[in-house]
């Protein structure tokens, strides 16, 4: 089990990565768009502290934090964001479409959910003992295929962990305008046990994730993991319509702030320096890498 | 000769028997019903653990199959009627077809989605369409359609063995048709040449000196073949047929070779005419030709309307042997500047 320092480092690595990525748009090294995970770091850090390294992951548009917590290399991700040949998928996918080991992501809301269920089925029939984790947001609960997937996962007892990161917004739309009923109730309707936490404390997330993932693995069946969180950055780049006062009110829930007191000042300073160097190295190295060339396609 | 349905059923049975990675998914595919068109009959009895009946969830059926394919299985999903494939379009276009290239060749998606298309069974506007045109030209997605000439079992076996996603279009009227036998019946006077890979194109002709070429696929080959016989015996017009099995992506060469000889091309398919299969086929021919004045082209396809329930109307809307014969005669008599007509 990861110690407090490791959890802090993972969260900080995500934070600094995302800050740097956003900054690199103004330098012209990044182009297009990206969805920063800033504020939600406890989710990824806690979940991947509880999952097995071999588990299968399908992530969404906001995938950088998931990828880094999964153990992915920030340099390969930075290179992908810059469209470099050395990127995770050679510059073909970019921010939302990455693949490495058992980690996959796609930028279509909802469509990844049945795919993850199918992955869980494949792991189940091949007796690998792996579970599939799929990441969605509150807004993605508007997609019908999400419920088709809950239904099938429950009927067929598929070991899939449906993670819902409820950051209270879908792009600009507050959850109150997009979501009726309760998220928990959605899982209950399909007889899928769900763990819901309103927390940005990585230890609480890890504890809930350990129960949920453990249950999915032990029972070979689906579970829900609903995490109430908040994102501090804009949805993608410049599309924030929230009042600054609202964002400010969540600042004391910053997962780094919540977890920091569990480390000594020296430890934090050391981790801060290590992560800063790592991120600097990742982006500098990626920046000097070559761009991809078209391959001959048949 | 066995029917198309028997051959498809056999291919599925054989795949399940020989490859433990093969799983079937679809609505109402369990015995004793065995699927809306019975293609999966007997399979759930013999392979109960690998034939999964699903809720009415086309997007999730293909989505789940996608995930299975990414993680080492070889799923074959059935969409009960081709009309419903629109509900799985996101899974086909934005997931299955993209994964391999988008992930820089890191992954494979050995997925087959089978579905019956086509009209003339009186099922009306939402159960009679040929919607494959919407899935042609999607990078990363193969579209294959069996016919009575090549063995449909071979095509389906190849699709299941392939590492990339295949949308397998089965015209409903083909199911009960027996496979053709070279040198017998309709094929008595025809020579057949077959070219190209696991999903070949076939050239059928009475003589090397045909007057025109008909390009088609799937069930419409049945109509085109009858038209070719009629053209020969009633009108003394020699039509040769190029029959495609792989619709997308596709190799134009077998057809080009034929049209370069005949100078006249009629495309026949059952999708709606506008922006359809025939348009792309003709464009490819035109692109590859340096003397456009030598070519006359025409298309027979469905009218740009929903498919009516009443047979009287449906017959007007869909291609028929008579329409093909008529179009071919007109094309045969075409002279002067090249132009395109359609019906
Ligand atoms: C099918 C589909 N519809 C719309 C979008 C555009 N889009 C991307 S992210 C997003 C908001 C998603 O909200 P949520 O699920 O809450 O995730 P969050 O962004 O808050 O992490 C939207 C509308 C999309 N990518 N896919
Ligand atoms: Mg959200």
């Amino acid at each position: 089990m990861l110690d407090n320092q490791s959890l802090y480092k993972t969260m900080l690595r995500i934070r600094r990565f995302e800050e740097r990525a956003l900054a690199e748009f103004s330098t012209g090294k990044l182009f297009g768009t990206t969805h920063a995970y800033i504020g939600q770091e406890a989710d990824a850090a806690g979940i991947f502290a509880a999952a097995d390294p071999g588990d299968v992951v399908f992530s969404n548009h906001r995938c950088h934090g998931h990828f880094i917590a999964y153990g992915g290399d920030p340099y390969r991700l930075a290179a992908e964001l810059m469209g470099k040949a050395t990127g995770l998928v050679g510059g073909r996918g970019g921010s939302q479409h990455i693949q490495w080991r058992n980690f996959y992501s796609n930028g279509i809301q909802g469509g990844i959910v049945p795919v993850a269920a199918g992955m869980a089925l494949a792991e189940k029939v091949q007796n690998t003992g792996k579970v599939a984790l799929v990441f969605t947001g509150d807004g993605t609960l508007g997609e019908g295929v999400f419920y088709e997937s809950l239904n099938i996962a429950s009927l067929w007892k598929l070991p899939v962990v449906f993670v819902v990161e409820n950051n209270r917004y879908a792009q600009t739309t507050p959850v109150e305008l997009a979501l009726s009923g309760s998220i928990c109730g959605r899982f209950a309707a399909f007889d899928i046990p769900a763990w819901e936490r309103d927390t940005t404390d990585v230890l609480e997330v890890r504890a809930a994730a350990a129960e949920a993932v453990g249950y999915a693995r032990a029972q070979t069946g689906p579970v829900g993991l609903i995490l109430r969180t908040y994102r501090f950055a804009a949805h993608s780049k410049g599309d924030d319509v929230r009042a600054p006062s609202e964002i400010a009110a969540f600042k004391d829930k910053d997962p780094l702030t919540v977890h920091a007191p569990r480390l000594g000042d020296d430890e934090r300073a050391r981790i801060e320096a290590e992560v800063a160097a790592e991120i600097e190295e990742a982006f500098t190295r990626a920046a000097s890498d070559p761009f991809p060339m078209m391959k001959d396609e048949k | 000769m066995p029917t198309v349905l028997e051959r498809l059923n056999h291919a599925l049975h054989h795949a399940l028997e020989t490859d433990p990675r093969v799983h079937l998914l679809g609505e109402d595919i369990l015995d004793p019903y065995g699927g809306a068109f019975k293609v999966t009959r007997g399979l759930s009895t013999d392979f109960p653990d690998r034939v999964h009946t699903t809720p009415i969830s086309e997007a999730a059926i293909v989505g789940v199959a996608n995930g299975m394919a990414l993680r080492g299985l070889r799923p074959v999903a059935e969409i009960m009627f081709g009309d419903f494939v629109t509900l799985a379009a996101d899974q086909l276009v934005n997931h299955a077809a993209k994964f391999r290239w988008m992930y820089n060749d890191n992954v494979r998606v050995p997925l087959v989605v089978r579905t019956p298309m086509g009209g003339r069974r009186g099922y009306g506007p939402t159960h009679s369409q040929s919607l494959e045109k919407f899935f042609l030209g999607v990078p990363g997605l193969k579209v294959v359609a069996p016919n009575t000439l090549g063995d449909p079992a071979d095509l389906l076996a190849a699709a299941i063995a392939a590492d990339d996603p295949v949308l397998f279009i089965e015209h409903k009227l083909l199911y009960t048709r027996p496979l053709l036998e070279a040198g017998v019946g309709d094929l008595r006077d025809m020579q057949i040449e077959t070219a190209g890979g696991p999903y070949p194109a076939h050239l059928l002709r009475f003589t090397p000196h045909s007057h025109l070429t008909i390009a088609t696929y799937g069930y419409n080959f049945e109509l085109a073949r009858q038209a070719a016989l009629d053209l020969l015996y009633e009108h003394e017009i020699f039509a040769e047929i190029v029959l495609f099995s792989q619709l997308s992506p596709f190799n134009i060469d077998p057809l080009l070779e034929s049209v370069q000889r005949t100078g006249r091309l009629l495309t026949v398919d059952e999708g709606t005419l506008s922006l359809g299969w025939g348009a792309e086929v003709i464009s490819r021919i035109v692109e590859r030709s340096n003397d456009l004045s030598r070519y006359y082209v025409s298309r027979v396809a469905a009218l740009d309307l929903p498919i009516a329930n009443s047979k009287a109307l449906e017959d007007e809307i869909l291609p028929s042997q008579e329409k093909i014969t008529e179009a071919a005669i007109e094309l045969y008599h075409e002279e002067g500047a090249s132009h395109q007509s359609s019906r």
Side-chain angles (χ1 to χ4, degrees):
Chain A
M1 206 164 232
L2 290 183
D3 52 30
N4 283 333
Q5 289 86 340
S6 305
L7 290 168
Y8 189 77
K9 190 169 185 178
T10 299
M11 293 196 291
L12 194 68
R13 189 181 278 134
I14 297 169
R15 174 71 53 96
R16 297 291 176 255
F17 182 94
E18 297 289 53
E19 287 168 350
R20 180 67 178 262
L22 288 171
E24 294 288 5
F25 279 96
S26 49
T27 67
K29 291 203 184 70
L30 260 62
F31 178 73
T33 196
T34 192
H35 304 85
Y37 200 61
I38 295 172
Q40 304 182 202
E41 293 91 343
D43 295 352
I47 289 168
F48 286 104
D52 277 1
D55 286 338
V56 183
V57 184
F58 224 120
S59 173
N60 58 3
H61 59 293
R62 206 175 295 286
C63 62
H64 306 171
H66 306 148
F67 174 75
I68 290 171
Y70 174 77
D73 183 351
Y75 153 66
R76 298 285 311 281
L77 180 58
E80 187 58 38
L81 300 190
M82 292 181 194
K84 296 303 181 79
T86 51
L88 289 162
V89 290
R92 289 181 174 188
S95 169
Q96 309 183 60
H97 317 96
I98 58 177
Q99 198 284 323
W100 182 70
R101 295 192 177 165
N102 290 343
F103 188 100
Y104 308 73
S105 79
N106 202 3
I108 297 283
Q109 304 300 313
I112 63 172
V113 183
V115 179
M119 291 171 142
L121 173 57
E123 301 306 328
K124 180 176 176 174
V125 303
Q126 295 173 111
N127 284 314
T128 64
K130 293 174 182 169
V131 305
L133 297 110
V134 59
F135 286 89
T136 62
D138 47 284
T140 305
L141 298 174
E143 295 287 0
V145 74
F146 186 93
Y147 305 97
E148 294 184 19
S149 307
L150 292 191
N151 188 40
I152 288 177
S154 180
L155 282 168
W156 297 357
K157 296 198 99 0
L158 304 179
V160 50
V161 181
F162 297 98
V163 180
V164 180
E165 291 184 87
N166 176 8
N167 62 9
R168 300 156 210 252
Y169 287 89
Q171 200 147 338
T172 64
T173 305
V175 74
E176 295 76 27
L177 297 186
L179 199 75
S180 63
S182 78
I183 302 179
C184 232
R186 285 164 162 73
F187 287 96
F190 295 95
D191 270 344
I192 297 177
W195 282 254
E196 183 164 24
R197 296 289 183 274
D198 185 356
T199 183
T200 52
D201 181 344
V202 66
L203 296 186
E204 288 178 28
V205 173
R206 183 177 67 183
E211 285 177 29
V213 173
Y215 187 95
R217 201 184 314 279
Q219 303 296 315
T220 334
V223 299
L225 179 59
I226 306 153
L227 301 170
R228 241 173 116 82
T229 180
Y230 197 76
R231 76 170 147 72
F232 290 126
H235 166 69
S236 46
K237 284 187 305 177
D239 47 2
D240 212 340
V241 294
R242 299 169 302 178
S245 58
E246 179 191 307
I247 302 172
F250 276 96
K251 278 293 177 192
D252 59 347
K253 292 203 168 171
D254 182 327
L256 287 168
T257 311
V258 172
H259 192 57
R262 299 182 182 125
L263 280 69
D265 289 348
D266 293 353
E267 278 173 324
R268 284 211 309 276
R270 177 179 55 77
I271 292 171
E272 185 74 62
E274 283 170 8
V275 168
E278 208 182 290
I279 298 301
E280 175 60 33
E281 144 84 9
F283 279 81
T284 314
R285 189 172 157 209
S288 61
D289 283 345
F291 286 104
M293 290 195 302
M294 280 301 286
K295 290 183 192 150
D296 277 345
E297 307 281 342
K298 16 168 198 45
Chain B
M1 292 296 279
T3 62
V4 168
L5 185 135
E6 284 163 356
R7 294 307 294 156
L8 293 174
N9 179 264
H10 171 82
L12 292 172
H13 196 280
H14 185 74
L16 284 161
E17 197 168 57
T18 53
D19 189 343
R21 299 170 302 174
V22 174
H23 286 242
L24 309 190
L25 305 87
E27 296 160 16
D28 300 291
I29 63 175
L30 296 189
D31 293 332
Y33 187 64
F37 291 91
K38 313 297 173 205
V39 180
T40 56
R41 185 149 52 191
L43 303 177
S44 67
T45 303
D46 290 354
F47 308 96
D49 296 338
R50 288 187 287 139
V51 178
H52 312 273
T53 196
T54 67
I56 307 169
S57 305
E58 288 77 11
I61 292 168
V62 179
V64 166
N66 256 334
M68 295 165 77
L70 278 174
R71 301 296 306 173
L73 301 181
R74 293 197 169 251
V76 181
E78 174 174 296
I79 302 292
M80 185 190 268
F81 278 79
D83 309 72
F84 314 152
V85 77
T86 52
L87 286 97
D90 178 49
Q91 284 301 327
L92 289 170
V93 176
N94 286 324
H95 295 80
K98 289 223 181 0
F99 286 146
R100 178 172 176 174
W101 197 90
M102 177 168 96
Y103 296 153
N104 206 21
D105 252 13
N106 291 352
V107 305
R108 299 291 181 273
V109 188
L111 162 74
V112 178
V113 177
R114 299 179 30 252
T115 193
M117 293 279 189
R120 303 184 188 78
R121 302 237 334 200
Y123 292 156
T126 64
H127 291 65
S128 307
Q129 301 168 92
S130 293
L131 297 185
E132 57 270 21
K133 69 186 265 190
F134 298 114
F135 297 89
L136 303 180
V138 176
L141 182 66
K142 272 202 184 70
V143 182
V144 171
N147 50 64
T148 53
L149 187 60
D151 186 345
D154 291 345
L155 298 183
L156 186 52
I160 295 171
D163 279 342
D164 296 308
V166 176
L167 179 59
F168 198 84
I169 305 294
E170 302 164 2
H171 195 293
K172 298 176 194 93
L173 290 199
L174 279 180
Y175 286 136
T176 54
R177 294 259 168 162
L179 299 198
L180 299 172
E181 221 177 325
V184 179
D186 284 0
L187 301 185
R188 202 177 50 237
D189 298 325
M190 292 194 207
Q191 287 139 28
I192 301 165
E193 285 166 40
T194 295
Y199 317 106
H202 308 277
L203 172 72
L204 300 92
R205 58 184 174 179
F206 302 100
T207 158
H209 309 290
S210 307
H211 297 120
L212 59 94
T213 306
I214 301 176
T216 190
Y217 65 86
Y219 170 74
N220 283 265
F221 166 58
E222 305 298 292
L223 305 177
R225 192 175 70 244
Q226 295 311 317
L229 293 167
D230 190 45
L231 286 163
L232 176 59
Y233 298 126
E234 303 297 325
H235 306 278
E236 288 175 27
I237 296 172
F238 289 93
E240 61 185 57
I241 299 175
V242 175
L243 169 61
F244 287 94
S245 309
Q246 182 169 331
L247 309 184
S248 179
F250 77 109
N251 178 8
I252 197 72
D253 290 348
L255 181 62
L256 185 66
E257 184 278 323
S258 168
V259 180
Q260 277 167 346
R261 280 187 287 101
T262 63
R264 292 167 204 268
L265 170 62
L266 175 65
T267 66
V268 180
D269 79 289
E270 205 174 305
T272 46
L273 178 81
S274 292
L275 298 153
W277 178 74
E280 174 70 14
V281 169
I282 290 170
S283 301
R284 297 261 185 120
I285 295 292
V286 168
E287 279 170 351
R288 295 276 295 272
S289 313
N290 33 31
D291 182 7
L292 284 186
S293 63
R294 286 186 51 232
Y295 291 99
Y296 299 92
V297 296
S298 175
R299 295 180 286 169
V300 171
L303 300 186
D304 290 326
L305 289 172
I307 296 169
N309 199 77
S310 161
K311 186 157 174 19
L313 297 174
E314 186 182 36
D315 285 349
E316 297 260 346
I317 290 166
L318 296 181
S320 62
Q321 186 232 293
E322 293 72 25
K323 288 185 199 178
I324 298 168
T325 304
E326 220 176 290
I329 292 172
E330 213 169 286
L331 185 66
Y332 173 70
H333 290 295
E334 208 84 67
E335 266 175 71
S338 165
H339 78 275
Q340 178 185 312
S341 64
S342 59
R343 62 190 56 242

